[in-house]
Amino acid sequence: MYETFYGLTGRPFQLTPDPHFYFESLTHRKALSYLGYGLAQGEGFIVINIVTTKLDSQDIVRVAANHFDIDTDHMDKAQLLSAFEEFLHSEARAGRRCLLIVDESQNLPVDALEELRMLSNFQLGGQALLQIFLLGQPEFRDMLENSNQLEQLRQRVIAHHHLE
C-alpha cells in the first residue's frame, strides 16, 4: 500500500537493511566523514556504532585470515600469525592497503578484540599494514568505554561516532 502511495519501486521495510533505501541524515554524513578520515589516515581503529557471529580470540584471527584468502588449514596460532603478517607485507609491497571491517563487534568477547588490536601491530616502515573498522550496536560503545581490559584498544581508536 505505501509503495504505491509514495511511489516506491520496492519494499523499504525489510528485516535486513537495503542500501537502495539509504537516507543520508546529518549524523550519517558525519559518520561517512569519519570513515573517510580513517581511510585517509591509513592506521588505527575506527569505531562507528551501527555480521560477525560470536567468535573467540582464536577464531577471530583465523576468520580474518580466511577472508583475505589466507589458507589457515592445519596452522597453529604462531604459524597463522606469521602467514597473516607475510600476506600483509606482500600486499604493502604491491602498493595495496588492507582493511578489515568487523560488523556486530558487540558480539566479540574482550579477548577477541584484544587479538584484533594485536593484528594492528604489524607494521612496515612505521606504517600500519592492517586497518580495522569496528562497527557495532551501542552495547559495543559501552563495552569499549567501560572495560579496563580494553584500555590499549581505546588508545588506538582514531575516530568514534554514534549513529542516532
Side-chain angles (χ1 to χ4, degrees):
M1 148 175 128
Y2 51 83
E3 290 102 337
T4 305
F5 181 80
Y6 289 105
L8 301 176
T9 58
R11 297 177 53 204
F13 304 111
Q14 300 298 309
L15 293 178
T16 56
D18 183 345
H20 291 100
F21 293 100
Y22 171 73
F23 174 74
E24 188 177 83
S25 67
L26 181 60
T27 190
H28 286 82
R29 195 169 321 138
K30 191 173 181 181
L32 285 173
S33 70
Y34 277 120
L35 289 171
Y37 167 76
L39 281 171
Q41 292 300 307
E43 63 182 3
F45 286 76
I46 310 296
V47 177
I48 300 209
N49 295 324
I50 324 203
V51 172
T52 299
T53 59
K54 294 190 180 214
L55 299 172
D56 65 19
S57 62
Q58 293 181 9
D59 290 336
I60 191 71
V61 175
R62 192 168 302 279
V63 167
N66 286 332
H67 282 293
F68 283 114
D69 291 328
I70 301 169
D71 183 12
T72 62
D73 289 343
H74 312 296
M75 286 188 183
D76 62 23
K77 185 174 180 179
Q79 293 168 322
L80 174 61
L81 290 173
S82 180
F84 208 136
E85 185 175 22
E86 177 52 39
F87 168 79
L88 294 172
H89 278 275
S90 174
E91 292 298 299
R93 286 190 299 272
R96 293 185 292 266
R97 291 176 41 203
C98 293
L99 170 65
L100 176 63
I101 301 173
V102 181
D103 197 6
E104 302 294 344
S105 295
Q106 75 278 356
N107 292 333
L108 295 174
V110 169
D111 59 340
L113 290 167
E114 180 61 14
E115 287 294 327
L116 289 175
R117 184 190 68 79
M118 295 302 287
L119 290 177
S120 73
N121 287 336
F122 294 140
Q123 294 190 3
L124 179 64
Q127 286 291 99
L129 293 174
L130 178 66
Q131 189 172 12
I132 302 172
F133 280 22
L134 300 174
L135 308 172
Q137 300 294 326
E139 295 84 6
F140 177 62
R141 178 193 60 215
D142 298 341
M143 180 172 65
L144 190 60
E145 290 175 357
N146 299 321
S147 174
N148 291 335
Q149 296 172 296
L150 294 175
E151 177 62 30
Q152 291 181 315
L153 177 62
R154 268 195 307 276
Q155 292 173 358
R156 294 197 185 173
V157 172
I158 64 169
H160 184 285
H161 184 69
H162 176 78
L163 288 175
E164 298 173 2

